[in-house]
Amino acid sequence: MKAQAVLQQAEPYLDELEARLRQASARHPGVVSRVGTDALDAGGKRLRPLLVHLTSSDRERALRGGVAVELVHTATLVHDDLVDGAELRRGREAVWHSHGPGAARAGGDYLFASAFAELAEAGDLEGVRILADTCLALARGEALQRSQLNDPETTEEAYFERIALKSAKLFEAACLLGARDERLGRFGLALGIAFQIVDDILDCSGDTIETGKIAGTDLREGTPTLPLLLAAREDDVVRDALAGGPVGDALVRVAATGALEHSRDVALDYTRQARELLRDEPRLEALTHIVIERKS
Protein backbone atom coordinates (compact mmCIF):
# COMPACT_ATOMS: atom_id res chain seq x y z
CA MET A 1 0.00 0.00 0.00
CA LYS A 2 1.31 3.47 -0.88
CA ALA A 3 2.00 5.91 1.93
CA GLN A 4 -0.25 8.59 0.41
CA ALA A 5 -3.20 6.17 0.37
CA VAL A 6 -2.69 5.41 4.06
CA LEU A 7 -2.73 9.12 4.91
CA GLN A 8 -5.85 9.73 2.82
CA GLN A 9 -7.70 6.85 4.46
CA ALA A 10 -6.74 8.19 7.88
CA GLU A 11 -8.03 11.72 7.21
CA PRO A 12 -11.44 11.27 8.95
CA TYR A 13 -9.68 9.89 12.04
CA LEU A 14 -7.08 12.67 12.04
CA ASP A 15 -9.78 15.34 11.62
CA GLU A 16 -11.68 14.00 14.62
CA LEU A 17 -8.42 13.68 16.54
CA GLU A 18 -7.71 17.39 16.03
CA ALA A 19 -11.14 18.28 17.39
CA ARG A 20 -10.64 16.04 20.42
CA LEU A 21 -7.19 17.52 21.07
CA ARG A 22 -8.69 21.00 21.17
CA GLN A 23 -11.44 19.80 23.52
CA ALA A 24 -8.89 18.28 25.86
CA SER A 25 -6.77 21.43 25.89
CA ALA A 26 -9.77 23.74 26.41
CA ARG A 27 -11.19 21.74 29.33
CA HIS A 28 -9.99 24.29 31.89
CA PRO A 29 -9.94 27.73 30.25
CA GLY A 30 -7.12 30.07 31.24
CA VAL A 31 -3.42 30.63 30.71
CA VAL A 32 -2.41 26.97 30.70
CA SER A 33 -5.18 26.16 28.25
CA ARG A 34 -3.97 28.91 25.89
CA VAL A 35 -0.40 27.61 26.15
CA GLY A 36 -1.58 24.07 25.37
CA THR A 37 -3.70 25.17 22.43
CA ASP A 38 -0.88 27.27 20.97
CA ALA A 39 1.48 24.29 21.26
CA LEU A 40 -1.03 22.03 19.51
CA ASP A 41 -1.63 24.66 16.83
CA ALA A 42 2.04 24.35 15.81
CA GLY A 43 0.82 21.20 14.09
CA GLY A 44 3.05 18.26 13.35
CA LYS A 45 2.79 14.99 11.51
CA ARG A 46 0.62 13.32 14.18
CA LEU A 47 2.54 10.10 13.51
CA ARG A 48 2.06 8.78 17.02
CA PRO A 49 -1.76 9.07 16.95
CA LEU A 50 -1.66 7.62 13.44
CA LEU A 51 0.14 4.58 14.87
CA VAL A 52 -2.60 4.20 17.49
CA HIS A 53 -5.19 4.34 14.72
CA LEU A 54 -3.41 1.85 12.46
CA THR A 55 -2.91 -0.70 15.24
CA SER A 56 -6.39 -0.48 16.76
CA SER A 57 -9.62 -2.18 15.74
CA ASP A 58 -11.68 0.09 18.02
CA ARG A 59 -12.21 3.68 16.84
CA GLU A 60 -12.98 5.13 20.26
CA ARG A 61 -9.94 3.49 21.80
CA ALA A 62 -7.86 4.81 18.90
CA LEU A 63 -9.14 8.34 19.47
CA ARG A 64 -8.58 8.24 23.24
CA GLY A 65 -5.13 6.73 22.84
CA GLY A 66 -4.24 9.06 19.99
CA VAL A 67 -5.24 12.13 22.00
CA ALA A 68 -3.33 10.89 25.05
CA VAL A 69 -0.11 10.10 23.20
CA GLU A 70 -0.15 13.38 21.25
CA LEU A 71 -0.78 15.41 24.41
CA VAL A 72 2.25 13.77 26.03
CA HIS A 73 4.34 14.36 22.91
CA THR A 74 3.32 18.02 22.77
CA ALA A 75 4.04 18.45 26.48
CA THR A 76 7.58 17.14 26.00
CA LEU A 77 8.13 19.61 23.15
CA VAL A 78 6.94 22.52 25.31
CA HIS A 79 9.31 21.52 28.11
CA ASP A 80 12.20 20.72 25.74
CA ASP A 81 11.97 24.14 24.09
CA LEU A 82 11.91 25.80 27.50
CA VAL A 83 14.94 23.89 28.79
CA ASP A 84 16.88 24.36 25.53
CA GLY A 85 15.91 28.00 25.06
CA ALA A 86 14.70 27.18 21.54
CA GLU A 87 12.83 30.15 20.09
CA LEU A 88 11.21 28.28 17.20
CA ARG A 89 9.06 25.16 16.99
CA ARG A 90 7.95 24.03 13.52
CA GLY A 91 8.59 27.51 12.16
CA ARG A 92 6.48 29.22 14.85
CA GLU A 93 7.44 31.06 18.00
CA ALA A 94 7.98 28.56 20.81
CA VAL A 95 5.28 28.89 23.48
CA TRP A 96 7.75 29.75 26.26
CA HIS A 97 8.95 32.63 24.11
CA SER A 98 5.44 33.98 23.56
CA HIS A 99 3.88 33.19 26.96
CA GLY A 100 6.90 33.20 29.28
CA PRO A 101 8.85 30.39 30.97
CA GLY A 102 6.51 29.97 33.94
CA ALA A 103 3.40 29.69 31.81
CA ALA A 104 5.13 27.23 29.48
CA ARG A 105 6.22 25.04 32.37
CA ALA A 106 2.68 24.99 33.76
CA GLY A 107 1.20 24.51 30.28
CA GLY A 108 3.38 21.48 29.66
CA ASP A 109 2.33 19.99 33.00
CA TYR A 110 -1.29 20.66 32.06
CA LEU A 111 -0.90 18.73 28.82
CA PHE A 112 0.70 15.79 30.63
CA ALA A 113 -2.16 15.70 33.15
CA SER A 114 -4.76 16.00 30.39
CA ALA A 115 -3.28 12.95 28.65
CA PHE A 116 -3.79 10.79 31.72
CA ALA A 117 -7.26 12.24 32.29
CA GLU A 118 -8.25 11.18 28.77
CA LEU A 119 -7.53 7.52 29.57
CA ALA A 120 -8.64 7.57 33.21
CA GLU A 121 -12.09 8.94 32.38
CA ALA A 122 -12.68 5.93 30.13
CA GLY A 123 -11.53 3.56 32.89
CA ASP A 124 -8.60 2.43 30.75
CA LEU A 125 -6.23 1.46 33.56
CA GLU A 126 -3.98 -0.56 31.26
CA GLY A 127 -3.66 2.49 29.03
CA VAL A 128 -2.78 4.62 32.05
CA ARG A 129 -0.09 2.10 33.00
CA ILE A 130 1.36 2.11 29.48
CA LEU A 131 1.48 5.89 29.42
CA ALA A 132 2.95 6.13 32.94
CA ASP A 133 5.75 3.71 32.05
CA THR A 134 6.42 5.75 28.94
CA CYS A 135 6.59 9.06 30.80
CA LEU A 136 9.09 7.53 33.23
CA ALA A 137 11.19 6.47 30.23
CA LEU A 138 10.96 9.98 28.76
CA ALA A 139 12.26 11.47 32.00
CA ARG A 140 15.14 9.00 32.11
CA GLY A 141 15.97 9.79 28.50
CA GLU A 142 16.02 13.51 29.20
CA ALA A 143 18.36 12.95 32.15
CA LEU A 144 20.65 10.85 29.95
CA GLN A 145 20.73 13.60 27.34
CA ARG A 146 21.79 16.13 29.97
CA SER A 147 24.58 13.82 31.15
CA GLN A 148 25.85 13.37 27.58
CA LEU A 149 25.96 17.05 26.59
CA ASN A 150 29.23 18.22 25.03
CA ASP A 151 30.67 14.71 25.28
CA PRO A 152 32.10 13.52 21.95
CA GLU A 153 33.15 10.32 23.76
CA THR A 154 29.50 9.27 24.06
CA THR A 155 29.26 5.73 22.72
CA GLU A 156 26.81 4.68 20.06
CA GLU A 157 25.27 2.30 22.61
CA ALA A 158 24.64 5.22 24.97
CA TYR A 159 23.14 7.25 22.12
CA PHE A 160 20.75 4.44 21.18
CA GLU A 161 19.77 3.96 24.82
CA ARG A 162 18.96 7.65 25.06
CA ILE A 163 16.85 7.90 21.91
CA ALA A 164 15.02 4.69 22.76
CA LEU A 165 13.98 6.23 26.09
CA LYS A 166 13.48 9.83 25.01
CA SER A 167 11.82 9.28 21.63
CA ALA A 168 11.12 5.71 20.57
CA LYS A 169 9.24 4.68 23.73
CA LEU A 170 6.44 7.04 22.71
CA PHE A 171 6.11 5.21 19.38
CA GLU A 172 6.02 1.94 21.30
CA ALA A 173 3.34 3.36 23.59
CA ALA A 174 1.25 4.41 20.59
CA CYS A 175 1.22 0.86 19.26
CA LEU A 176 0.49 -0.62 22.69
CA LEU A 177 -2.36 1.84 23.27
CA GLY A 178 -3.82 0.78 19.94
CA ALA A 179 -3.38 -2.98 20.08
CA ARG A 180 -2.05 -4.13 23.49
CA ASP A 181 0.24 -6.39 21.46
CA GLU A 182 3.92 -6.70 22.45
CA ARG A 183 4.92 -7.56 18.88
CA LEU A 184 3.52 -4.27 17.64
CA GLY A 185 5.10 -2.52 20.60
CA ARG A 186 8.49 -3.76 19.39
CA PHE A 187 7.59 -2.55 15.90
CA GLY A 188 6.87 0.89 17.30
CA LEU A 189 10.14 0.96 19.22
CA ALA A 190 12.22 0.11 16.13
CA LEU A 191 10.26 2.62 14.05
CA GLY A 192 10.78 5.29 16.70
CA ILE A 193 14.54 4.78 16.71
CA ALA A 194 14.60 5.14 12.92
CA PHE A 195 12.47 8.28 13.22
CA GLN A 196 14.88 9.89 15.67
CA ILE A 197 17.96 9.05 13.60
CA VAL A 198 16.30 10.71 10.60
CA ASP A 199 15.50 13.70 12.82
CA ASP A 200 19.16 13.93 13.80
CA ILE A 201 20.23 13.75 10.15
CA LEU A 202 17.78 16.53 9.24
CA ASP A 203 19.21 18.69 12.02
CA CYS A 204 22.53 18.53 10.17
CA SER A 205 21.22 18.84 6.63
CA GLY A 206 17.58 19.94 6.55
CA ASP A 207 16.18 23.18 5.19
CA THR A 208 14.77 25.46 7.90
CA ILE A 209 11.72 26.24 5.73
CA GLU A 210 10.88 22.52 5.52
CA THR A 211 11.88 21.40 9.02
CA GLY A 212 10.76 24.47 10.97
CA LYS A 213 14.05 24.30 12.85
CA ILE A 214 17.39 26.05 12.45
CA ALA A 215 19.96 23.58 11.13
CA GLY A 216 22.78 22.69 13.47
CA THR A 217 20.85 23.07 16.71
CA ASP A 218 22.19 19.78 18.10
CA LEU A 219 25.78 20.78 17.38
CA ARG A 220 25.41 24.23 18.93
CA GLU A 221 23.77 22.74 22.03
CA GLY A 222 26.34 19.95 22.30
CA THR A 223 23.83 17.12 21.89
CA PRO A 224 25.75 14.04 20.69
CA THR A 225 23.65 12.59 17.87
CA LEU A 226 24.67 9.68 15.67
CA PRO A 227 25.85 11.77 12.68
CA LEU A 228 27.77 14.12 14.97
CA LEU A 229 29.44 11.26 16.86
CA LEU A 230 30.42 9.52 13.63
CA ALA A 231 31.78 12.76 12.17
CA ALA A 232 33.66 13.63 15.37
CA ARG A 233 35.65 10.42 15.05
CA GLU A 234 37.07 11.62 11.74
CA ASP A 235 37.20 15.40 12.07
CA ASP A 236 38.74 17.25 15.01
CA VAL A 237 36.87 20.46 14.14
CA VAL A 238 33.55 18.65 14.57
CA ARG A 239 34.84 16.99 17.72
CA ASP A 240 35.86 20.32 19.25
CA ALA A 241 32.55 21.94 18.28
CA LEU A 242 30.59 19.08 19.86
CA ALA A 243 32.68 19.48 23.01
CA GLY A 244 31.59 23.12 23.26
CA GLY A 245 34.13 24.86 21.04
CA PRO A 246 33.42 27.20 18.12
CA VAL A 247 31.05 25.76 15.53
CA GLY A 248 32.44 27.59 12.51
CA ASP A 249 32.13 25.39 9.43
CA ALA A 250 31.74 22.19 11.47
CA LEU A 251 28.31 21.43 9.99
CA VAL A 252 29.73 21.44 6.47
CA ARG A 253 32.52 19.18 7.66
CA VAL A 254 29.99 16.71 9.12
CA ALA A 255 28.57 16.20 5.64
CA ALA A 256 32.06 15.77 4.18
CA THR A 257 32.84 12.81 6.46
CA GLY A 258 30.04 10.60 5.12
CA ALA A 259 28.41 10.51 8.57
CA LEU A 260 25.00 11.46 7.18
CA GLU A 261 24.98 8.57 4.71
CA HIS A 262 26.16 6.13 7.38
CA SER A 263 23.45 7.35 9.77
CA ARG A 264 20.80 6.93 7.08
CA ASP A 265 21.95 3.35 6.53
CA VAL A 266 21.46 2.71 10.24
CA ALA A 267 17.97 4.26 10.11
CA LEU A 268 17.13 2.07 7.11
CA ASP A 269 18.24 -0.98 9.07
CA TYR A 270 15.86 -0.09 11.91
CA THR A 271 12.96 0.31 9.49
CA ARG A 272 13.87 -3.11 8.07
CA GLN A 273 13.79 -4.54 11.61
CA ALA A 274 10.39 -2.90 12.12
CA ARG A 275 8.99 -4.42 8.91
CA GLU A 276 10.22 -7.88 9.89
CA LEU A 277 7.88 -7.72 12.90
CA LEU A 278 4.80 -7.21 10.72
CA ARG A 279 2.35 -9.89 9.62
CA ASP A 280 0.59 -8.80 6.45
CA GLU A 281 -0.02 -5.29 7.81
CA PRO A 282 0.50 -3.11 4.70
CA ARG A 283 -0.61 0.16 6.28
CA LEU A 284 2.05 -0.13 8.97
CA GLU A 285 4.62 -1.11 6.38
CA ALA A 286 3.76 2.04 4.42
CA LEU A 287 4.35 4.08 7.55
CA THR A 288 7.94 2.87 7.71
CA HIS A 289 8.51 4.51 4.32
CA ILE A 290 6.93 7.76 5.50
CA VAL A 291 9.35 7.85 8.44
CA ILE A 292 12.49 7.19 6.42
CA GLU A 293 11.65 9.47 3.47
CA ARG A 294 10.42 12.51 5.38
CA LYS A 295 12.02 15.92 4.91
CA SER A 296 10.74 17.52 8.11
Side-chain angles (χ1 to χ4, degrees):
M1 178 175 287
K2 292 188 179 296
Q4 193 58 39
V6 172
L7 295 177
Q8 288 175 349
Q9 289 177 8
E11 281 181 5
Y13 165 80
L14 292 172
D15 288 344
E16 190 168 353
L17 175 87
E18 291 298 326
R20 296 270 288 257
L21 284 169
R22 296 309 180 284
Q23 290 171 8
S25 179
R27 187 174 302 180
H28 300 286
V31 173
V32 290
S33 175
R34 288 196 296 274
V35 170
T37 299
D38 281 358
L40 290 166
D41 283 346
K45 292 164 283 296
R46 307 300 195 225
L47 274 178
R48 296 153 192 83
L50 185 57
L51 273 172
V52 182
H53 169 61
L54 295 179
T55 54
S56 179
S57 58
D58 182 295
R59 184 174 180 81
E60 182 58 29
R61 177 196 277 181
L63 284 165
R64 287 197 312 266
V67 167
V69 79
E70 191 65 14
L71 288 173
V72 166
H73 175 55
T74 305
T76 65
L77 298 182
V78 170
H79 284 169
D80 282 354
D81 288 346
L82 175 60
V83 170
D84 297 338
E87 297 183 5
L88 288 177
R89 168 61 60 181
R90 299 180 181 127
R92 295 166 55 112
E93 189 177 18
V95 293
W96 76 266
H97 202 253
S98 54
H99 292 275
R105 189 177 298 108
D109 291 346
Y110 174 73
L111 291 172
F112 273 118
S114 297
F116 284 97
E118 190 73 23
L119 299 174
E121 285 181 359
D124 186 0
L125 297 183
E126 177 62 12
V128 169
R129 183 197 64 76
I130 291 167
L131 205 61
D133 287 348
T134 301
C135 288
L136 289 170
L138 295 174
R140 291 165 57 209
E142 180 64 27
L144 265 181
Q145 179 162 309
R146 296 296 145 191
S147 71
Q148 294 173 3
L149 286 178
N150 296 123
D151 183 8
E153 297 295 334
T154 301
T155 64
E156 288 182 35
E157 291 76 15
Y159 163 79
F160 286 118
E161 179 185 9
R162 184 187 86 222
I163 67 170
L165 289 169
K166 193 172 187 292
S167 301
K169 290 292 285 186
L170 206 51
F171 282 73
E172 177 188 58
C175 293
L176 292 175
L177 287 170
R180 313 295 157 94
D181 182 327
E182 292 298 325
R183 173 183 61 86
L184 291 175
R186 293 195 301 275
F187 164 83
L189 192 67
L191 187 68
I193 291 174
F195 178 93
Q196 186 58 51
I197 295 170
V198 172
D199 216 48
D200 294 342
I201 294 169
L202 289 172
D203 184 77
C204 294
S205 63
D207 188 309
T208 300
I209 294 174
E210 286 189 327
T211 64
K213 306 173 189 175
I214 300 171
T217 297
D218 291 330
L219 186 59
R220 287 189 297 274
E221 293 178 351
T223 302
T225 64
L226 184 60
L228 295 180
L229 289 170
L230 294 173
R233 292 178 185 171
E234 299 183 28
D235 191 309
D236 288 341
V237 171
V238 177
R239 182 184 180 82
D240 291 344
L242 186 55
V247 173
D249 66 347
L251 209 58
V252 175
R253 299 173 76 107
V254 170
T257 65
L260 300 180
E261 291 81 2
H262 186 168
S263 297
R264 180 173 171 80
D265 287 342
V266 176
L268 284 166
D269 187 58
Y270 272 98
T271 57
R272 178 188 58 76
Q273 292 178 41
R275 284 193 289 271
E276 286 177 351
L277 288 160
L278 297 177
R279 300 172 183 167
D280 191 26
E281 290 153 318
R283 296 189 303 170
L284 290 174
E285 181 176 350
L287 203 59
T288 67
H289 298 289
I290 292 174
V291 163
I292 203 68
E293 299 299 336
R294 68 194 180 91
K295 302 297 181 184
S296 66

